[in-house]
Amino acid sequence: MEQFLPSKLLSNAVDQFAKLPGVGRKTALRLVLDLLKRDENTVNAFANSIIELKKNICTCQICGNLSDDKICSICSDNKRDQSTICIVENIRDIIAIEQTSTYKGSYHVLGGLISPIDGVGPSELNIQTLIERVNSQNINEIIFALSTNMEGDTTCFYLSRLLKDKNIKISQIARGVAFGGDLEYTDELTLARSIESRTEYSS
Amino acid sequence: MEQFLPSKLLSNAVDQFAKLPGVGRKTALRLVLDLLKRDENTVNAFANSIIELKKNICTCQICGNLSDDKICSICSDNKRDQSTICIVENIRDIIAIEQTSTYKGSYHVLGGLISPIDGVGPSELNIQTLIERVNSQNINEIIFALSTNMEGDTTCFYLSRLLKDKNIKISQIARGVAFGGDLEYTDELTLARSIESRTEYSS
Protein backbone atom coordinates (compact mmCIF):
# COMPACT_ATOMS: atom_id res chain seq x y z
CA MET A 1 0.00 0.00 0.00
CA GLU A 2 1.31 3.43 -0.98
CA GLN A 3 2.39 5.42 2.06
CA PHE A 4 1.15 9.00 2.29
CA LEU A 5 3.95 11.41 3.18
CA PRO A 6 3.42 15.15 3.42
CA SER A 7 6.76 16.12 1.88
CA LYS A 8 8.89 15.04 -1.08
CA LEU A 9 12.07 15.56 0.94
CA LEU A 10 10.73 13.28 3.64
CA SER A 11 9.50 10.78 1.08
CA ASN A 12 12.93 10.71 -0.59
CA ALA A 13 14.74 10.08 2.69
CA VAL A 14 12.27 7.34 3.63
CA ASP A 15 12.78 5.72 0.19
CA GLN A 16 16.53 5.69 0.80
CA PHE A 17 16.24 4.15 4.27
CA ALA A 18 13.71 1.59 3.08
CA LYS A 19 16.37 0.18 0.72
CA LEU A 20 18.41 -0.98 3.73
CA PRO A 21 18.13 -4.71 4.48
CA GLY A 22 15.34 -5.57 6.92
CA VAL A 23 14.01 -2.00 6.97
CA GLY A 24 10.43 -1.54 5.76
CA ARG A 25 8.75 1.80 5.05
CA LYS A 26 7.29 2.12 8.56
CA THR A 27 10.66 1.56 10.21
CA ALA A 28 12.31 3.85 7.65
CA LEU A 29 9.87 6.62 8.57
CA ARG A 30 10.57 6.13 12.29
CA LEU A 31 14.34 6.34 11.70
CA VAL A 32 14.07 9.43 9.49
CA LEU A 33 11.76 11.26 11.91
CA ASP A 34 14.15 10.43 14.75
CA LEU A 35 17.06 11.90 12.77
CA LEU A 36 14.96 14.97 11.96
CA LYS A 37 14.51 15.67 15.68
CA ARG A 38 18.27 16.11 16.14
CA ASP A 39 20.22 19.29 15.41
CA GLU A 40 21.78 19.89 11.99
CA ASN A 41 25.36 19.09 13.09
CA THR A 42 24.36 15.67 14.41
CA VAL A 43 22.47 14.88 11.22
CA ASN A 44 25.43 15.96 9.08
CA ALA A 45 27.80 13.86 11.21
CA PHE A 46 25.52 10.87 10.59
CA ALA A 47 25.41 11.43 6.83
CA ASN A 48 29.11 12.26 6.51
CA SER A 49 30.17 9.14 8.42
CA ILE A 50 28.80 7.01 5.62
CA ILE A 51 30.11 9.27 2.81
CA GLU A 52 33.61 9.26 4.34
CA LEU A 53 33.47 5.51 4.89
CA LYS A 54 32.60 4.82 1.27
CA LYS A 55 35.19 7.31 -0.03
CA ASN A 56 38.18 6.33 2.11
CA ILE A 57 37.81 2.71 3.14
CA CYS A 58 40.48 0.35 1.77
CA THR A 59 40.65 -3.39 1.32
CA CYS A 60 43.75 -4.83 2.97
CA GLN A 61 46.14 -5.83 0.17
CA ILE A 62 47.22 -8.91 2.09
CA CYS A 63 44.06 -10.46 3.51
CA GLY A 64 41.08 -8.58 1.98
CA ASN A 65 39.84 -7.26 5.34
CA LEU A 66 38.33 -3.75 5.48
CA SER A 67 40.93 -1.26 6.60
CA ASP A 68 41.72 2.45 6.96
CA ASP A 69 45.12 1.83 5.36
CA LYS A 70 46.53 -0.38 2.61
CA ILE A 71 47.45 -3.03 5.19
CA CYS A 72 44.88 -3.82 7.89
CA SER A 73 45.51 -3.65 11.64
CA ILE A 74 45.62 -7.45 11.92
CA CYS A 75 48.13 -8.04 9.10
CA SER A 76 50.38 -5.23 10.38
CA ASP A 77 50.29 -6.49 13.99
CA ASN A 78 53.65 -8.09 14.88
CA LYS A 79 52.21 -9.70 17.99
CA ARG A 80 49.92 -11.86 15.90
CA ASP A 81 51.00 -15.13 14.37
CA GLN A 82 51.27 -14.25 10.68
CA SER A 83 52.16 -17.87 9.82
CA THR A 84 48.60 -19.04 10.58
CA ILE A 85 45.82 -18.02 8.20
CA CYS A 86 42.13 -18.43 9.00
CA ILE A 87 40.06 -18.53 5.78
CA VAL A 88 36.68 -16.80 6.13
CA GLU A 89 33.90 -15.88 3.73
CA ASN A 90 33.49 -12.19 4.66
CA ILE A 91 34.56 -9.54 7.13
CA ARG A 92 31.56 -10.20 9.40
CA ASP A 93 33.17 -13.56 10.11
CA ILE A 94 36.42 -11.83 11.12
CA ILE A 95 34.49 -9.58 13.49
CA ALA A 96 32.71 -12.61 15.01
CA ILE A 97 35.99 -14.50 15.56
CA GLU A 98 37.81 -11.42 16.89
CA GLN A 99 34.96 -10.93 19.37
CA THR A 100 35.99 -14.21 21.03
CA SER A 101 39.55 -12.92 21.70
CA THR A 102 40.95 -16.46 21.31
CA TYR A 103 42.45 -16.47 17.83
CA LYS A 104 45.84 -14.77 17.46
CA GLY A 105 46.68 -15.58 13.84
CA SER A 106 45.86 -13.73 10.62
CA TYR A 107 42.89 -14.02 8.23
CA HIS A 108 42.10 -14.29 4.57
CA VAL A 109 38.74 -13.02 3.28
CA LEU A 110 37.49 -14.91 0.22
CA GLY A 111 34.64 -12.48 -0.44
CA GLY A 112 32.19 -15.32 -1.10
CA LEU A 113 32.06 -19.06 -1.66
CA ILE A 114 32.33 -21.16 -4.82
CA SER A 115 28.77 -21.56 -6.10
CA PRO A 116 28.25 -22.84 -9.65
CA ILE A 117 24.48 -22.20 -9.34
CA ASP A 118 25.07 -18.50 -8.65
CA GLY A 119 27.85 -18.35 -11.25
CA VAL A 120 30.58 -17.80 -8.65
CA GLY A 121 33.74 -19.63 -9.65
CA PRO A 122 37.19 -19.61 -7.99
CA SER A 123 38.31 -16.68 -10.17
CA GLU A 124 35.59 -14.45 -8.65
CA LEU A 125 37.01 -15.04 -5.18
CA ASN A 126 40.08 -13.64 -3.44
CA ILE A 127 42.02 -16.90 -3.96
CA GLN A 128 44.93 -15.76 -6.14
CA THR A 129 46.21 -13.51 -3.33
CA LEU A 130 46.00 -16.46 -0.92
CA ILE A 131 48.23 -18.54 -3.17
CA GLU A 132 50.66 -15.62 -3.45
CA ARG A 133 50.71 -15.34 0.35
CA VAL A 134 51.38 -19.03 0.71
CA ASN A 135 54.18 -18.90 -1.87
CA SER A 136 55.92 -15.78 -0.56
CA GLN A 137 55.36 -16.02 3.21
CA ASN A 138 56.26 -18.76 5.66
CA ILE A 139 52.82 -20.26 6.40
CA ASN A 140 52.49 -23.13 8.90
CA GLU A 141 48.75 -23.66 9.15
CA ILE A 142 45.60 -22.79 7.26
CA ILE A 143 42.27 -23.01 9.10
CA PHE A 144 39.00 -23.27 7.16
CA ALA A 145 36.24 -21.35 8.95
CA LEU A 146 33.58 -21.52 6.23
CA SER A 147 29.88 -22.39 6.32
CA THR A 148 28.97 -26.08 6.35
CA ASN A 149 26.78 -26.01 3.28
CA MET A 150 27.35 -27.15 -0.29
CA GLU A 151 29.19 -23.95 -1.22
CA GLY A 152 31.38 -24.02 1.90
CA ASP A 153 32.29 -27.68 1.40
CA THR A 154 33.05 -27.13 -2.29
CA THR A 155 35.29 -24.18 -1.46
CA CYS A 156 37.14 -26.11 1.26
CA PHE A 157 37.66 -29.02 -1.13
CA TYR A 158 38.91 -26.73 -3.91
CA LEU A 159 41.32 -24.90 -1.62
CA SER A 160 42.60 -28.09 -0.01
CA ARG A 161 43.50 -29.43 -3.48
CA LEU A 162 45.28 -26.17 -4.34
CA LEU A 163 47.28 -26.26 -1.10
CA LYS A 164 47.97 -30.02 -1.08
CA ASP A 165 51.60 -29.95 -2.10
CA LYS A 166 52.61 -26.87 -0.11
CA ASN A 167 53.49 -28.77 3.07
CA ILE A 168 51.06 -26.73 5.18
CA LYS A 169 48.88 -28.11 7.97
CA ILE A 170 45.24 -27.68 6.96
CA SER A 171 42.54 -27.71 9.63
CA GLN A 172 38.92 -26.75 10.03
CA ILE A 173 37.01 -25.31 12.98
CA ALA A 174 35.24 -27.86 15.22
CA ARG A 175 31.57 -28.64 14.50
CA GLY A 176 29.18 -30.19 16.98
CA VAL A 177 26.63 -29.51 19.68
CA ALA A 178 26.98 -25.92 20.92
CA PHE A 179 28.54 -25.37 24.36
CA GLY A 180 25.67 -25.03 26.81
CA GLY A 181 23.40 -26.42 24.10
CA ASP A 182 20.68 -28.89 25.05
CA LEU A 183 20.91 -32.20 23.17
CA GLU A 184 17.15 -32.36 22.72
CA TYR A 185 17.08 -28.98 20.94
CA THR A 186 20.05 -29.69 18.67
CA ASP A 187 19.15 -30.41 15.05
CA GLU A 188 19.47 -34.03 13.94
CA LEU A 189 22.29 -33.49 11.45
CA THR A 190 24.50 -31.72 13.98
CA LEU A 191 23.76 -34.36 16.62
CA ALA A 192 24.45 -37.26 14.22
CA ARG A 193 27.70 -35.71 13.03
CA SER A 194 28.79 -34.89 16.59
CA ILE A 195 28.45 -38.57 17.52
CA GLU A 196 30.31 -39.73 14.40
CA SER A 197 33.16 -37.30 14.94
CA ARG A 198 33.41 -37.79 18.71
CA THR A 199 36.75 -36.98 20.31
CA GLU A 200 38.63 -38.67 23.14
CA TYR A 201 37.44 -37.57 26.55
CA SER A 202 39.98 -35.56 28.49
CA SER A 203 39.19 -34.29 31.97
CA MET B 1 30.75 -6.10 25.15
CA GLU B 2 33.05 -3.97 23.01
CA GLN B 3 32.72 -4.79 19.32
CA PHE B 4 35.94 -5.33 17.39
CA LEU B 5 35.95 -3.44 14.11
CA PRO B 6 38.94 -3.44 11.76
CA SER B 7 38.61 0.22 10.74
CA LYS B 8 37.94 3.57 12.46
CA LEU B 9 35.88 4.75 9.48
CA LEU B 10 33.70 1.67 9.78
CA SER B 11 33.51 1.98 13.54
CA ASN B 12 32.44 5.63 13.25
CA ALA B 13 29.66 4.81 10.77
CA VAL B 14 28.45 1.92 12.96
CA ASP B 15 28.41 4.25 16.00
CA GLN B 16 26.24 6.69 14.06
CA PHE B 17 23.77 4.02 12.92
CA ALA B 18 23.62 2.49 16.40
CA LYS B 19 22.20 5.80 17.70
CA LEU B 20 19.04 5.24 15.64
CA PRO B 21 16.06 3.99 17.67
CA GLY B 22 15.80 0.20 17.83
CA VAL B 23 19.15 -0.31 16.07
CA GLY B 24 21.83 -2.16 18.04
CA ARG B 25 25.47 -2.46 17.06
CA LYS B 26 25.00 -5.77 15.23
CA THR B 27 22.17 -4.37 13.10
CA ALA B 28 24.13 -1.14 12.58
CA LEU B 29 27.06 -3.16 11.23
CA ARG B 30 24.79 -5.08 8.88
CA LEU B 31 23.26 -1.83 7.54
CA VAL B 32 26.67 -0.15 7.09
CA LEU B 33 28.20 -3.18 5.32
CA ASP B 34 25.17 -3.31 3.04
CA LEU B 35 25.64 0.38 2.14
CA LEU B 36 29.35 -0.23 1.57
CA LYS B 37 28.54 -2.85 -1.09
CA ARG B 38 26.76 -0.24 -3.24
CA ASP B 39 28.47 2.19 -5.61
CA GLU B 40 29.55 5.63 -4.46
CA ASN B 41 26.68 7.51 -6.14
CA THR B 42 24.06 5.39 -4.39
CA VAL B 43 25.78 5.89 -1.03
CA ASN B 44 25.98 9.65 -1.59
CA ALA B 45 22.30 9.75 -2.60
CA PHE B 46 21.46 7.99 0.67
CA ALA B 47 23.52 10.40 2.77
CA ASN B 48 22.40 13.51 0.88
CA SER B 49 18.73 12.61 1.21
CA ILE B 50 18.99 13.06 4.96
CA ILE B 51 21.20 16.19 4.76
CA GLU B 52 18.76 17.84 2.31
CA LEU B 53 15.79 16.81 4.42
CA LYS B 54 17.22 18.38 7.57
CA LYS B 55 18.32 21.55 5.72
CA ASN B 56 15.19 22.26 3.70
CA ILE B 57 12.22 20.78 5.50
CA CYS B 58 9.63 23.31 6.75
CA THR B 59 6.93 23.17 9.37
CA CYS B 60 3.56 24.22 7.93
CA GLN B 61 2.75 27.66 9.36
CA ILE B 62 -0.91 26.76 9.66
CA CYS B 63 -1.03 23.23 11.08
CA GLY B 64 2.53 22.29 12.09
CA ASN B 65 2.76 19.39 9.62
CA LEU B 66 6.10 18.70 7.93
CA SER B 67 6.18 20.30 4.50
CA ASP B 68 8.42 21.23 1.57
CA ASP B 69 6.87 24.72 1.56
CA LYS B 70 5.62 27.21 4.14
CA ILE B 71 2.10 25.83 3.80
CA CYS B 72 1.69 22.06 3.64
CA SER B 73 -0.06 20.12 0.89
CA ILE B 74 -3.10 19.44 3.09
CA CYS B 75 -3.64 23.05 4.22
CA SER B 76 -3.24 24.36 0.65
CA ASP B 77 -5.64 21.77 -0.82
CA ASN B 78 -8.93 23.47 -1.76
CA LYS B 79 -10.69 20.13 -2.13
CA ARG B 80 -10.27 19.42 1.58
CA ASP B 81 -12.66 20.71 4.22
CA GLN B 82 -10.59 23.42 5.90
CA SER B 83 -13.40 24.09 8.41
CA THR B 84 -12.76 20.76 10.17
CA ILE B 85 -9.58 20.36 12.21
CA CYS B 86 -8.31 17.03 13.51
CA ILE B 87 -5.99 17.55 16.49
CA VAL B 88 -3.07 15.06 16.57
CA GLU B 89 0.04 14.68 18.67
CA ASN B 90 2.62 14.32 15.88
CA ILE B 91 3.00 13.93 12.15
CA ARG B 92 3.11 10.13 12.37
CA ASP B 93 -0.54 10.35 13.42
CA ILE B 94 -1.33 12.41 10.29
CA ILE B 95 0.36 9.78 8.15
CA ALA B 96 -1.64 7.00 9.86
CA ILE B 97 -4.96 8.81 9.35
CA GLU B 98 -4.13 9.80 5.75
CA GLN B 99 -3.33 6.14 5.05
CA THR B 100 -7.03 5.33 5.67
CA SER B 101 -8.15 7.76 2.91
CA THR B 102 -11.37 8.50 4.84
CA TYR B 103 -10.70 11.89 6.44
CA LYS B 104 -11.02 14.92 4.18
CA GLY B 105 -10.55 17.77 6.66
CA SER B 106 -7.40 19.51 7.89
CA TYR B 107 -5.08 18.77 10.82
CA HIS B 108 -3.35 20.50 13.68
CA VAL B 109 -0.14 19.01 15.09
CA LEU B 110 0.38 19.76 18.80
CA GLY B 111 3.94 18.44 18.82
CA GLY B 112 3.34 16.61 22.11
CA LEU B 113 0.85 16.28 24.95
CA ILE B 114 0.47 18.20 28.21
CA SER B 115 2.53 16.28 30.78
CA PRO B 116 3.34 18.01 34.10
CA ILE B 117 5.64 15.10 35.06
CA ASP B 118 7.81 15.67 31.98
CA GLY B 119 7.58 19.45 32.37
CA VAL B 120 5.49 19.89 29.22
CA GLY B 121 2.90 22.62 29.70
CA PRO B 122 0.44 24.11 27.18
CA SER B 123 2.97 26.82 26.24
CA GLU B 124 5.40 24.16 24.97
CA LEU B 125 2.77 22.89 22.52
CA ASN B 126 1.53 24.25 19.21
CA ILE B 127 -1.70 25.55 20.85
CA GLN B 128 -1.44 29.32 20.29
CA THR B 129 -1.58 28.79 16.52
CA LEU B 130 -4.68 26.63 16.96
CA ILE B 131 -6.45 29.43 18.80
CA GLU B 132 -5.42 31.90 16.08
CA ARG B 133 -6.81 29.52 13.45
CA VAL B 134 -10.09 29.22 15.31
CA ASN B 135 -10.35 33.00 15.71
CA SER B 136 -9.44 33.92 12.14
CA GLN B 137 -10.92 31.05 10.09
CA ASN B 138 -14.43 29.69 9.92
CA ILE B 139 -14.10 26.42 11.87
CA ASN B 140 -17.12 24.11 12.26
CA GLU B 141 -15.69 21.08 14.01
CA ILE B 142 -12.64 20.08 15.98
CA ILE B 143 -11.85 16.37 16.33
CA PHE B 144 -9.56 15.11 19.11
CA ALA B 145 -7.43 12.19 17.87
CA LEU B 146 -5.06 11.95 20.85
CA SER B 147 -3.83 8.99 22.90
CA THR B 148 -6.14 7.72 25.67
CA ASN B 149 -3.66 8.08 28.49
CA MET B 150 -3.35 10.64 31.28
CA GLU B 151 -1.50 13.11 29.03
CA GLY B 152 -3.96 12.72 26.17
CA ASP B 153 -6.97 13.14 28.45
CA THR B 154 -5.43 16.19 30.15
CA THR B 155 -4.71 17.78 26.77
CA CYS B 156 -8.25 17.10 25.50
CA PHE B 157 -9.71 18.60 28.69
CA TYR B 158 -7.47 21.68 28.48
CA LEU B 159 -8.29 22.27 24.80
CA SER B 160 -12.04 21.71 25.31
CA ARG B 161 -12.06 24.41 28.01
CA LEU B 162 -10.16 26.79 25.73
CA LEU B 163 -12.60 26.18 22.87
CA LYS B 164 -15.79 26.09 24.97
CA ASP B 165 -17.21 29.52 24.07
CA LYS B 166 -16.22 29.46 20.40
CA ASN B 167 -19.43 27.76 19.21
CA ILE B 168 -17.53 24.88 17.57
CA LYS B 169 -18.59 21.25 17.58
CA ILE B 170 -15.98 19.23 19.47
CA SER B 171 -15.73 15.48 18.92
CA GLN B 172 -13.30 12.67 19.56
CA ILE B 173 -12.47 9.55 17.56
CA ALA B 174 -14.38 6.39 18.52
CA ARG B 175 -12.78 3.98 21.00
CA GLY B 176 -13.69 0.34 21.44
CA VAL B 177 -12.95 -3.19 20.33
CA ALA B 178 -11.01 -3.16 17.04
CA PHE B 179 -12.86 -4.16 13.86
CA GLY B 180 -12.12 -7.84 13.29
CA GLY B 181 -10.80 -7.95 16.87
CA ASP B 182 -11.54 -11.00 18.99
CA LEU B 183 -13.33 -10.17 22.24
CA GLU B 184 -11.25 -12.66 24.20
CA TYR B 185 -7.99 -11.00 23.14
CA THR B 186 -9.16 -7.43 23.80
CA ASP B 187 -7.70 -5.87 26.96
CA GLU B 188 -10.11 -5.52 29.89
CA LEU B 189 -10.18 -1.72 29.95
CA THR B 190 -11.07 -1.44 26.28
CA LEU B 191 -13.73 -4.13 26.63
CA ALA B 192 -15.24 -2.55 29.77
CA ARG B 193 -15.32 0.91 28.17
CA SER B 194 -16.74 -0.48 24.93
CA ILE B 195 -19.69 -1.93 26.88
CA GLU B 196 -20.26 1.27 28.84
CA SER B 197 -20.16 3.46 25.74
CA ARG B 198 -22.23 1.10 23.55
CA THR B 199 -24.07 2.68 20.63
CA GLU B 200 -27.48 1.96 19.15
CA TYR B 201 -27.47 -0.97 16.73
CA SER B 202 -28.13 -0.04 13.13
CA SER B 203 -28.17 -2.67 10.45
Side-chain angles (χ1 to χ4, degrees), chain B:
Chain B
M1 191 165 149
E2 186 63 17
Q3 191 179 31
F4 162 85
L5 289 174
S7 140
K8 285 207 180 94
L9 289 163
L10 181 64
S11 172
N12 182 29
V14 170
D15 286 347
Q16 291 289 345
F17 271 77
K19 286 182 198 161
L20 292 171
V23 177
R25 289 189 65 83
K26 273 204 172 179
T27 307
L29 177 64
R30 196 160 53 90
L31 299 181
V32 169
L33 289 179
D34 184 86
L35 277 169
L36 205 49
K37 268 192 276 174
R38 309 184 193 170
D39 65 67
E40 194 157 345
N41 286 341
T42 318
V43 171
N44 289 347
F46 172 85
N48 286 329
S49 74
I50 193 79
I51 293 177
E52 290 297 313
L53 173 68
K54 182 66 191 179
K55 204 162 77 183
N56 297 323
I57 196 86
C58 304
T59 303
C60 174
Q61 292 178 342
I62 297 176
C63 71
N65 190 6
L66 286 178
S67 169
D68 290 342
D69 308 298
K70 288 182 181 173
I71 308 294
C72 79
S73 55
I74 295 175
C75 286
S76 59
D77 187 347
N78 289 328
K79 288 182 200 139
R80 298 188 73 120
D81 174 12
Q82 302 291 345
S83 71
T84 304
I85 301 176
C86 178
I87 313 279
V88 292
E89 183 183 342
N90 56 47
I91 86 128
R92 282 207 301 280
D93 298 331
I94 295 188
I95 293 168
I97 296 174
E98 284 300 295
Q99 209 80 284
T100 69
S101 308
T102 46
Y103 179 66
K104 295 296 173 204
S106 66
Y107 292 93
H108 198 86
V109 182
L110 294 180
L113 296 171
I114 296 173
S115 171
I117 289 178
D118 301 320
V120 181
S123 57
E124 265 81 40
L125 302 179
N126 192 19
I127 290 178
Q128 189 53 42
T129 48
L130 176 66
I131 302 303
E132 282 164 22
R133 267 179 100 172
V134 167
N135 289 337
S136 62
Q137 275 180 269
N138 185 24
I139 305 298
N140 292 325
E141 182 175 358
I142 282 182
I143 304 166
F144 292 144
L146 302 176
S147 303
T148 46
N149 50 22
M150 180 109 82
E151 291 78 18
D153 292 347
T154 308
T155 311
C156 284
F157 183 72
Y158 178 85
L159 290 177
S160 69
R161 293 289 289 261
L162 267 186
L163 299 165
K164 203 173 54 175
D165 305 324
K166 308 275 186 191
N167 195 28
I168 296 172
K169 182 181 168 190
I170 296 179
S171 57
Q172 62 180 343
I173 58 170
R175 307 281 179 180
V177 178
F179 286 87
D182 250 327
L183 285 202
E184 58 178 318
Y185 299 123
T186 304
D187 66 289
E188 288 169 28
L189 183 66
T190 301
L191 197 51
R193 293 280 179 86
S194 79
I195 293 170
E196 280 170 25
S197 48
R198 60 195 176 275
T199 56
E200 203 174 330
Y201 179 76
S202 60
S203 62

Side-chain angles (χ1 to χ4, degrees), chain A residues 2 20 28 39 45 59 62 82 103 106 110 136 139 146-147 152 159 180 185 192 200 202:
Chain A
E2 187 64 19
L20 293 170
D39 65 66
T59 303
I62 298 176
Q82 302 293 344
Y103 179 66
S106 66
L110 294 181
S136 62
I139 304 297
L146 302 176
S147 303
L159 290 177
Y185 298 124
E200 203 175 328
S202 59

Side-chain angles (χ1 to χ4, degrees), chain A:
Chain A
M1 192 167 149
E2 187 64 19
Q3 190 179 32
F4 163 85
L5 289 174
S7 140
K8 283 206 181 96
L9 290 162
L10 181 65
S11 171
N12 182 30
V14 169
D15 286 347
Q16 291 290 344
F17 271 76
K19 284 182 198 161
L20 293 170
V23 176
R25 289 190 65 84
K26 274 203 172 179
T27 308
L29 177 64
R30 196 159 54 88
L31 299 181
V32 169
L33 288 179
D34 184 87
L35 277 168
L36 205 49
K37 269 193 274 175
R38 309 183 193 170
D39 65 66
E40 195 158 346
N41 286 341
T42 319
V43 171
N44 289 347
F46 172 86
N48 286 328
S49 74
I50 193 78
I51 293 178
E52 289 298 313
L53 173 68
K54 183 65 191 178
K55 205 163 73 184
N56 296 322
I57 196 86
C58 303
T59 303
C60 173
Q61 291 178 341
I62 298 176
C63 72
N65 190 5
L66 285 179
S67 169
D68 292 341
D69 307 299
K70 287 182 182 173
I71 308 296
C72 78
S73 55
I74 294 175
C75 286
S76 59
D77 187 347
N78 289 329
K79 289 183 200 139
R80 298 188 73 120
D81 174 12
Q82 302 293 344
S83 71
T84 305
I85 300 177
C86 178
I87 312 279
V88 293
E89 183 182 342
N90 56 46
I91 86 128
R92 283 207 301 279
D93 297 332
I94 294 189
I95 294 169
I97 296 174
E98 285 299 294
Q99 208 80 284
T100 68
S101 308
T102 47
Y103 179 66
K104 296 297 173 205
S106 66
Y107 294 92
H108 198 85
V109 182
L110 294 181
L113 296 172
I114 295 173
S115 171
I117 289 178
D118 301 321
V120 182
S123 57
E124 266 81 41
L125 303 179
N126 192 20
I127 290 177
Q128 190 52 42
T129 49
L130 176 66
I131 302 305
E132 282 164 22
R133 268 179 98 174
V134 167
N135 288 337
S136 62
Q137 274 180 270
N138 184 23
I139 304 297
N140 292 324
E141 181 174 358
I142 283 183
I143 305 165
F144 291 145
L146 302 176
S147 303
T148 47
N149 51 23
M150 179 108 83
E151 290 79 18
D153 292 347
T154 309
T155 311
C156 285
F157 182 73
Y158 178 85
L159 290 177
S160 68
R161 293 289 288 262
L162 267 187
L163 299 164
K164 204 173 53 175
D165 304 323
K166 308 275 184 192
N167 193 27
I168 296 171
K169 182 181 168 192
I170 296 179
S171 58
Q172 63 179 343
I173 57 170
R175 308 281 180 181
V177 178
F179 286 87
D182 251 327
L183 285 201
E184 60 177 317
Y185 298 124
T186 304
D187 66 287
E188 287 167 32
L189 183 65
T190 300
L191 196 52
R193 293 279 179 87
S194 76
I195 294 170
E196 281 169 26
S197 48
R198 60 195 176 276
T199 55
E200 203 175 328
Y201 179 75
S202 59
S203 61

